[in-house]
Amino acid sequence: MLKTIFSLPADVYKNRRLVLKLAKNDFKTRYAGSYLGIVWAFIQPIVTILVYWFVFSVGFKPDMDNVGVPFVLYLVAGIVPWFFFQDALVGGTNSLLEYNYLVKKVVFNISVLPVVKIISAMFVHGFFVLFTVILYMFYGRFPDLYYLQIFYYSACTFLLALGLCYATCAVVVFFRDLTQIINIGLQVGVWLTPIMWVAEESLATHPLLQKVLQLNPMYYIVSGYRDAFVKKAWFWERPMWTLYFWVFAVLCLLVGNWVFKRLRVHFADVL
């Protein structure tokens, strides 16, 4: 089991320069041929934030009395990690299909390809974290020690997405419909995760439902970003929830690694 856990990080570290080079190239070429280029990577999420802000600030006004911040700050703190997870999962799932010419090379270590897509997504995530910090400063909320947790929760998102991607990128080679299933799952998941609504207020009379929704690992990450930006709480103040997340993430990594290694011998034949 330990060999399984550490084999992938070892591969990534061994090929770290190649991984970073591929990630940079992936980020630069994602929107190659368009007039605005990589700017599109930032325009779509910003437009999404503006639409959600308008709808929920003007149309459906949530109860923010007990939150202590304007809705736009609450929204951005929750949706930024979701953008990262969504981009990483979709990109990582399609990594073998997109880089099929590398999969067919015998000497190339294809286990680094999902990592390349997730690191590429991290470039955009870094921009939006900076955007969030500046937005909070505009509202008079300046960085403090709690902001350091952003690195921790970003790592949580990275590892969760990586574990899922090793399984999904292997399966999608044989079952292409998985991409559409994941897209639908993300559309549903963004509403089941407390991003546009306040969990403490909305689920106050449904404690059991809140416990069920907390089984979603992104619930932990989104709440963690808000702990850093809004509530000013440390992740170790919720030990059982933190333990659950890491058990879930490690299991995803183990299962994903097993599925990937089990199916990789057939990749070149199918692609």
Side-chain angles (χ1 to χ4, degrees), residues 139-195:
Y139 278 86
R141 294 176 171 268
F142 295 91
D144 53 28
L145 287 177
Y146 291 98
Y147 278 37
L148 294 176
Q149 292 184 107
I150 299 303
F151 295 102
Y152 164 74
Y153 286 109
S154 295
C156 289
T157 312
F158 185 99
L159 291 175
L160 175 64
L162 183 60
L164 294 173
C165 285
Y166 271 117
T168 57
C169 75
V171 174
V172 79
V173 172
F174 307 93
F175 181 61
R176 303 296 174 93
D177 291 350
L178 181 61
T179 300
Q180 306 304 324
I181 294 174
I182 289 175
N183 288 332
I184 294 174
L186 289 170
Q187 290 177 8
V188 175
V190 73
W191 294 103
L192 295 181
T193 309
I195 295 175

Side-chain angles (χ1 to χ4, degrees), residues 26 105 107 118 188 197 211 223 235 244 255:
D26 181 88
K105 291 183 178 293
V107 296
I118 298 176
V188 175
W197 47 280
K211 293 294 184 182
S223 299
F235 67 88
Y244 164 76
V255 173

